[in-house]
């Protein structure tokens, strides 16, 4: 039964992709906005999660304002999907600068220009993280960790659509730390999402003033390897137009107190992410369940 | 630092890194890092603790090649000698 469902989904996705590939970008964006509005009405659970997250984060003071922002966020996510699918054919090594402005601090630019230097990039579900990875891969080869899609047929299809050797995606289940460190040792950039719920293995760190279970690897890696850590994201400024914002290298202090060293870095990264979200709140994935009850294994908040 | 001192310090590190999860006294040179209960993620914790305890840095290539406690002891012994 599951296989039949997966095959049906695969057929739907193939059809949608064929339409998106053939249709002009603006038409695809209009269609995706309509579908996003419909999805917003139909998926009550995600809609409520998004509105609740916006209110709790203090981004909008009223329920009606939060609802408007949540709908805008759904539309942004639909545009993200469309433009990410279109990007391999629209963005090339020769034209990407016409569509993407890069604002990198000179110190970070120098690091990215060193071919043998590994760099750790922290980012979040804001703007377009797919385009961010593709854009940065033109500057330095990049490896991103991603959770495979539940449907193996669709997953294979989507993997085949990003054949660029400079932008590799490694499945989360295969993200063995030795492999990741090898990528870094080879001079790649390693992109890691900092706003995914880390369950009981994470450290509780404030995000918009509320404790959220946060993965620690993004902080431990620079502490252990002494490789530079930066934060970056790719903000949408128009149809297939983006600006990359980045800060770094972020100072990494080693005091010998491991938990405090990790917490300090995670707090700093969350602050950077919050600042971007406050500027572009409609471009954040508010429907994600970032804040969940503290896991039983750890209840302290840093 | 002698090899025995390295192993003794290492047992302390393991005891702190994974309290209650394993018996540090059962650690032998042939124990694999994975067998000690360190998975992909906690390996980074171990690396941090080892660097702090011994005051040395283990470069990425060496760290990636570590498979057993003996490998780690050799890497540390060579660095604490130099």
């Amino acid at each position: 039964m599951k296989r039949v469902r997966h095959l049906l989904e695969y057929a739907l996705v193939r059809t949608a992709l064929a339409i998106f590939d053939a249709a002009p970008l603006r038409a695809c964006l209009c269609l995706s906005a309509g579908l996003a509005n419909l999805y917003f009405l139909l998926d009550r659970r995600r809609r409520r999660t998004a509105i609740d997250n916006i209110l709790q984060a203090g981004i909008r003071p009223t329920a009606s304002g939060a609802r408007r922002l949540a709908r805008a966020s759904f539309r942004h996510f639909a545009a993200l999907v469309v433009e990410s699918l279109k990007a391999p054919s629209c963005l090339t090594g020769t034209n990407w600068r016409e569509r993407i402005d890069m604002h990198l601090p000179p110190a970070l630019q120098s690091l990215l220009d060193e071919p043998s230097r590994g760099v750790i990039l922290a980012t979040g579900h804001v703007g377009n993280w797919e385009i961010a990875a593709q854009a940065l891969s033109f500057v330095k080869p990049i490896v991103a960790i991603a959770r495979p899609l539940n449907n193996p047929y669709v997953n294979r299809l989507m993997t085949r659509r990003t054949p660029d050797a400079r932008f590799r995606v490694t499945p989360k289940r295969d993200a063995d730390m030795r492999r990741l460190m090898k990528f870094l040792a080879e001079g790649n950039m390693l992109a890691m999402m900092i706003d995914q719920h880390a369950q009981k293995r994470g450290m509780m760190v404030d995000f918009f003033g509320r404790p959220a279970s946060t993965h620690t690897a993004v902080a431990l890696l620079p502490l252990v390897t002494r490789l530079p850590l930066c934060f970056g994201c790719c903000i949408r400024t128009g149809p297939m137009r983006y600006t990359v914002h980045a800060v770094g290298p972020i100072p990494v202090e080693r005091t010998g107190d491991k938990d405090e060293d990790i917490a300090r870095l995670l707090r700093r990264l969350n602050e950077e992410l919050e600042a971007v979200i406050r500027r572009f709140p409609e471009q954040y994935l508010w429907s994600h369940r970032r804040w969940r009850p503290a896991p039983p294994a750890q209840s302290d908040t840093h | 630092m002698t090899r025995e001192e390295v192993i003794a310090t290492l047992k302390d590190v393991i005891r702190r890194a994974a309290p209650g999860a394993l018996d540090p006294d059962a650690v032998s040179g042939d124990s694999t890092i994975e067998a000690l209960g360190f998975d992909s993620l906690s390996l980074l914790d171990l690396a941090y603790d080892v660097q702090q305890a011994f005051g040395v840095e283990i470069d990425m290539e060496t760290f990636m090649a570590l498979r057993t406690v003996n490998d780690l002891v050799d890497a540390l012994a060579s660095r604490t000698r130099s």
Side-chain angles (χ1 to χ4, degrees):
Chain A
M1 193 63 199
K2 195 173 176 183
R3 187 162 181 265
V4 173
R5 184 167 56 85
H6 282 167
L7 284 169
L8 279 172
E9 286 173 357
Y10 174 76
L12 274 173
V13 171
R14 287 275 332 214
T15 309
L17 284 178
I19 294 169
F20 281 136
D21 284 343
L25 176 64
R26 281 184 189 276
C28 294
L29 289 173
C30 283
L31 178 63
S32 71
L35 290 173
N37 284 335
L38 185 63
Y39 186 67
F40 182 76
L41 289 174
L42 295 178
D43 193 335
R44 187 173 159 190
R45 188 174 60 86
R46 285 190 190 278
R47 184 178 70 232
R48 282 192 167 177
T49 301
I51 292 170
D52 187 50
N53 282 343
I54 291 165
L55 287 170
Q56 297 258 15
I59 298 292
R60 291 287 185 273
T62 63
S64 59
R67 186 183 166 89
R68 275 194 299 277
L69 180 56
R71 186 172 14 221
S73 163
F74 274 54
R75 280 198 297 265
H76 171 77
F77 186 71
L80 176 153
V81 172
V82 167
E83 294 189 347
S84 300
L85 291 172
K86 287 264 185 197
S89 58
C90 292
L91 298 177
T92 66
T94 52
N95 77 351
W96 67 275
R97 283 191 187 277
E98 294 163 19
R99 293 183 175 276
I100 299 169
D101 287 329
M102 284 271 193
H103 292 291
L104 304 180
L108 180 56
Q109 183 68 60
S110 305
L111 289 169
L112 296 179
D113 289 341
E114 285 182 48
S116 60
R117 180 83 145 179
V119 175
I120 300 151
L121 169 70
T123 187
H125 291 92
V126 67
N128 189 325
W129 47 96
E130 292 279 338
I131 299 275
Q134 292 190 36
L136 286 167
S137 74
F138 294 121
V139 181
K140 194 174 197 60
I142 191 164
V143 177
I145 304 165
R147 178 179 168 274
L149 300 169
N150 290 334
N151 185 322
Y153 305 105
V154 177
N155 192 58
R156 250 195 316 274
L157 175 68
M158 301 315 275
T159 306
R160 277 203 304 269
R161 285 179 71 94
T162 51
D164 190 341
R166 292 176 65 85
F167 171 28
R168 283 180 288 173
V169 178
T170 190
K172 202 171 176 180
R173 62 168 181 271
D174 295 339
D176 178 83
M177 205 47 70
R178 287 192 176 99
R179 275 188 69 200
L180 299 185
M181 290 175 89
K182 185 168 179 289
F183 288 138
L184 286 167
E186 290 167 349
N188 293 298
M189 192 183 319
L190 177 65
M192 303 177 89
M193 288 288 185
I194 60 171
D195 57 348
Q196 286 176 318
H197 183 69
Q199 307 191 19
K200 65 181 179 186
R201 293 201 67 165
M203 176 180 275
M204 297 305 286
V205 181
D206 277 3
F207 184 52
F208 283 105
R210 295 163 66 200
S213 179
T214 309
H215 287 289
T216 55
V218 71
L220 266 168
L221 268 173
L223 282 165
V224 171
T225 63
R226 296 186 183 253
L227 286 173
L229 169 69
C230 63
F231 171 85
C233 57
C234 190
I235 295 301
R236 187 170 188 261
T237 54
M240 203 58 98
R241 302 275 169 188
Y242 290 90
T243 299
V244 171
H245 296 267
V247 290
I250 291 169
V252 177
E253 194 183 350
R254 295 163 192 82
T255 64
D257 182 338
K258 183 172 63 179
D259 284 349
E260 184 46 37
D261 288 351
I262 293 170
R264 191 183 311 106
L265 273 179
L266 294 181
R267 279 196 300 265
R268 169 71 196 273
L269 292 173
N270 275 356
E271 284 165 11
E272 295 292 348
L273 179 58
E274 284 177 28
V276 175
I277 295 169
R278 286 183 199 283
R279 282 184 68 195
F280 309 99
E282 74 288 351
Q283 297 199 22
Y284 190 59
L285 187 65
W286 290 106
S287 57
H288 167 56
R289 289 176 64 221
R290 181 69 188 93
W291 296 273
R292 300 182 207 180
Q298 188 188 6
S299 59
D300 60 320
T301 57
H302 292 271
Chain B
M1 193 180 261
T2 66
R3 194 176 180 83
E4 288 69 32
E5 287 169 329
V6 170
I7 291 178
T9 307
L10 201 51
K11 285 183 177 179
D12 274 346
V13 168
I14 291 169
R15 189 179 289 118
R16 282 199 305 272
L22 53 102
D23 176 12
D25 294 329
V27 173
S28 75
D30 294 329
S31 304
T32 63
I33 304 289
E34 277 78 11
L36 298 178
F38 292 98
D39 63 10
S40 171
L41 279 176
S42 52
L43 213 53
L44 274 180
D45 283 279
L46 177 66
Y48 181 100
D49 292 335
V50 165
Q51 289 185 3
Q52 288 299 319
F54 293 90
V56 295
E57 280 182 44
I58 306 176
D59 61 75
M60 280 196 286
E61 283 83 352
T62 307
F63 187 79
M64 283 184 290
L66 296 178
R67 290 284 178 258
T68 66
V69 170
N70 272 337
D71 293 340
L72 183 52
V73 172
D74 290 342
L76 288 167
S78 66
R79 271 159 185 77
T80 49
R81 268 201 306 273
S82 58

